[in-house]
Amino acid sequence: GIQVEQSPPDLILQEGANSTLRCNFSDSVNNLQWFHQNPWGQLINLFYIPSGTKQNGRLSATTVATERYSLLYISSSQTTDSGVYFCAVGASGSARQLTFGSGTQLTVLP
Amino acid sequence: DGGITQSPKYLFRKEGQNVTLSCEQNLNHDAMYWYRQDPGQGLRLIYYSQIVNDFQKGDIAEGYSVSREKKESFPLTVTSAQKNPTAFYLCASSIGQGGYEQYFGPGTRLTVT
């Protein structure tokens, strides 16, 4: 099946810093989503982005499907951005989506 | 207020007992999913359903069972055959399958002792 790798596994930032999270995948996709898992376990949808670029406030994401990677940018980070960020992909032609990466644990220090 | 609800939030059971986790959605979505999350890991697919009265095994279906008698509901039973049932269980839904965005419920934390 499709493989998903996220990097870095852990990231510690000072409040106000910018960061880039990466997601590599091993096959063509028809779905790619970025999630933020809060301390209570809720998965919050950040972006649905199988290709192209999107922005939502301080967050933006880019997926280059031909090169099989996606990037999540967080600018001017805040302590409330802390948590685990997951990339999840759905392989083209598969009805079984989604396959999740192992996540990036982000800690933003005040 | 549309969304996905899961109950209960926390569940404790003795080893050897079956337990059923509830998942309900009022988004009018056709497809529903169950995932399992272990500490420090991503989610893994247990079962999914594209339409009422149809469901398919995911990557880790052994020891679990599901039903889909209504569009809004997709309960998951964790049977005594599941060797390591303690985990965080998340339900999701999407309009359909084949590239549609998935939305998640708040999850149920199951502890079996």
Side-chain angles (χ1 to χ4, degrees), chain B residues 83-103:
Chain B
K83 294 178 182 174
N84 296 296
T86 295
F88 186 46
Y89 291 89
L90 291 126
C91 176
S93 70
S94 62
I95 292 175
Q97 287 202 278
Y100 293 101
E101 187 172 5
Q102 288 190 23
Y103 298 88

Side-chain angles (χ1 to χ4, degrees), chain B residues 2-3 10 23-24 28 31-32 37 40 45 49 54 62 73 76 79 81-82 85-87 95 104 106:
Chain B
Y10 298 94
C23 177
E24 304 275 334
N28 200 31
M32 296 186 73
Q37 186 179 29
L45 182 65
S49 167
D54 180 68
E62 186 176 348
S73 178
L76 173 74
T79 75
Q82 168 51 231
T86 295
I95 292 175
F104 283 78

Side-chain angles (χ1 to χ4, degrees), chain B residues 2-103:
Chain B
I4 303 171
T5 57
Q6 293 185 240
S7 61
K9 185 173 288 190
Y10 298 94
L11 191 51
F12 298 88
R13 280 291 182 271
K14 294 289 187 183
E15 200 172 312
Q17 294 179 335
N18 291 354
V19 60
T20 297
L21 283 58
S22 168
C23 177
E24 304 275 334
Q25 54 97 1
N26 62 2
L27 300 168
N28 200 31
H29 285 174
D30 283 321
M32 296 186 73
Y33 313 82
W34 274 105
Y35 294 87
R36 168 185 172 134
Q37 186 179 29
D38 293 289
Q41 299 185 27
L43 281 66
R44 293 181 290 167
L45 182 65
I46 304 172
Y47 267 98
Y48 65 102
S49 167
Q50 299 183 59
I51 56 172
V52 174
N53 293 322
D54 180 68
F55 47 83
Q56 306 294 329
K57 292 182 179 179
D59 298 316
I60 54 166
E62 186 176 348
Y64 299 98
S65 66
V66 293
S67 63
R68 186 86 187 277
E69 296 176 3
K70 298 187 299 182
K71 187 176 184 177
E72 302 80 15
S73 178
F74 191 39
L76 173 74
T77 297
V78 184
T79 75
S80 57
Q82 168 51 231
K83 294 178 182 174
N84 296 296
T86 295
F88 186 46
Y89 291 89
L90 291 126
C91 176
S93 70
S94 62
I95 292 175
Q97 287 202 278
Y100 293 101
E101 187 172 5
Q102 288 190 23
Y103 298 88

